[in-house]
Amino acid sequence: MGAGSWGTTFAQVLCDAGTAAVLWARRPELAKVINASRENPGYLPGVTLPATLTATADPAEALEGADLVVLAVPAQSLRQNLTDWAALLPPAALLVSLMKGIELGSCYRMSEVIGQMAGAPQERIAVVSGPNLAREIARREHAATVAACTDNDAAERLQRACHTAYFRPYTNPDVIGCELGGAVKNVIALAVGMAVGMGLGDNTRATLITRGLAETARLGAALGAEQHTFAGLAGLGDLVATCSSPLSRNRTFGENLGRGMAMADVVASTRQTVEGVKSSQSVLELARRHGVEMPITEVMVAVMHDDLEVGKAALMLASRSAKPERYGL
């Protein structure tokens, strides 16, 4: 449910794994193009999609008889979409989130929004998260991910459904940790991109990535996540990929800010959703509710939403008081 770059790519993965898939596109014209040309030109130009993949703009048609419902819409639109789709969801389907964000206002993780809006227990809700840059996977380059669910049988069912020669899923019962890793890494990637745009070097990038992981782990500890998750694919793996790759929308957004582009101009030039921009606010609010210090996130919220100048943001982080490396856990 969602024909952006990652939704389309994951539909390809399912088909390659032998799992029949229907791709729901919001725009009828896009569904027609995908069916006619085997390509999603707006999001994955040049990638030929499997002949077994069909697209539709009718949610009822897409959801009919599904045993896996994969949700791949922008995080802040999930609640509204599920309002429209709730009555169409097959009652026994496993509901799978590909989204990496925290809802504004409620500070809910995506699995919590799904559970609330679909009336589904946590055993029927799974999360896919890892170092999964869509274009590389669409080209069938090797990658791994985490299929997380509190029900191990459901996690293994999802694992089998998307396991291909180039895409290797591992199971994990820690849904909270996997979702936090996926959401917070977008905020840290904005900071890394900003540093790159300012011309700062590898030491700065490594520092931001490492301290960003520490922020994520502190928040995870407060919310009951398993700390080992943050050393795995859904934690460190996803963080490194998103902070290092020019394919990362969040890093690219930050780079443009670091080069001196005005926030409004960066937003205007960005075609696809950059989850970290909005989710940074809800990540910070979630941290404040639990008394967790997240200085990189706090500074990025000030840059994104409170007009803090990029140069002052770097100075604020560099001039923080000295602390032990491990604190607040």
Side-chain angles (χ1 to χ4, degrees):
M1 303 299 286
S5 54
W6 186 211
T8 303
T9 297
F10 197 77
Q12 171 191 290
V13 169
L14 290 169
C15 289
D16 286 351
T19 304
V22 175
L23 182 64
W24 174 81
R26 179 174 53 85
R27 293 179 288 118
E29 60 271 23
L30 177 56
K32 290 178 182 177
V33 168
I34 291 171
N35 288 329
S37 68
R38 316 311 313 159
E39 183 178 330
N40 186 335
Y43 293 95
L44 295 172
V47 174
T48 301
L49 299 171
T52 52
L53 178 63
T54 58
T56 179
D58 181 352
E61 180 183 352
L63 291 166
E64 185 178 4
D67 56 1
L68 293 175
V69 174
V70 180
L71 299 160
V73 296
Q76 305 307 328
S77 72
L78 176 61
R79 182 175 295 274
Q80 181 56 56
N81 279 306
L82 284 175
T83 299
D84 299 334
W85 298 338
L88 304 174
L89 296 172
L94 181 64
L95 307 177
V96 182
S97 169
L98 299 187
M99 299 158 291
K100 297 179 177 179
I102 303 292
E103 187 179 47
L104 288 170
S106 72
C107 293
Y108 283 166
R109 292 173 284 108
M110 295 295 96
S111 66
E112 293 178 302
V113 177
I114 294 168
Q116 183 183 80
M117 299 305 295
Q122 61 180 4
E123 302 83 45
R124 275 187 57 218
I125 303 171
V127 169
V128 172
S129 190
N132 299 150
L133 296 161
R135 176 157 283 278
E136 291 185 1
I137 297 171
R139 293 194 297 252
R140 296 178 173 85
E141 297 179 15
H142 292 282
T145 198
V146 173
C149 185
T150 57
D151 184 303
N152 187 63
D153 289 342
E156 289 182 349
R157 176 179 157 203
L158 175 58
Q159 181 184 46
R160 290 190 298 272
C162 65
H163 191 179
T164 73
Y166 62 91
F167 191 73
R168 181 178 179 82
Y170 292 81
T171 60
N172 188 333
D174 182 18
V175 173
I176 296 173
C178 289
E179 287 191 286
L180 288 179
V184 180
K185 60 97 184 183
N186 286 329
V187 183
I188 306 306
L190 288 166
V192 170
M194 198 169 72
V196 171
M198 294 172 68
L200 300 174
D202 291 336
N203 288 334
T204 304
R205 281 179 273 182
T207 298
L208 288 168
I209 290 171
T210 308
R211 296 312 302 165
L213 185 62
E215 291 194 10
T216 309
R218 284 199 297 272
L219 182 58
L223 294 177
E226 169 57 58
Q227 290 296 290
H228 291 297
T229 297
F230 301 114
L233 290 165
L236 180 61
D238 198 5
L239 179 64
V240 169
T242 306
C243 291
S244 303
S245 175
L247 295 175
S248 164
R249 285 172 258 171
N250 290 277
R251 173 178 149 147
T252 299
F253 193 102
E255 279 189 61
N256 287 331
L257 286 176
R259 293 190 185 106
M261 285 181 67
M263 183 71 179
D265 294 334
V266 180
V267 171
S269 66
T270 303
R271 289 187 58 255
Q272 298 188 45
T273 301
V274 179
E275 293 286 11
V277 174
K278 289 185 178 179
S279 282
S280 60
Q281 295 174 286
S282 41
V283 168
L284 182 59
E285 175 59 28
L286 189 61
R288 286 173 172 169
R289 290 181 187 182
H290 292 271
V292 176
E293 187 178 11
M294 298 186 73
I296 300 173
T297 300
E298 189 163 359
V299 167
M300 292 314 299
V301 169
V303 171
M304 299 292 154
H305 304 285
D306 299 324
D307 299 321
L308 178 66
E309 293 178 8
V310 168
K312 289 183 179 178
L315 183 61
M316 285 176 64
L317 287 173
S319 61
R320 293 183 72 242
S321 62
K323 290 181 172 62
E325 184 173 29
R326 287 178 58 82
Y327 71 93
L329 292 175

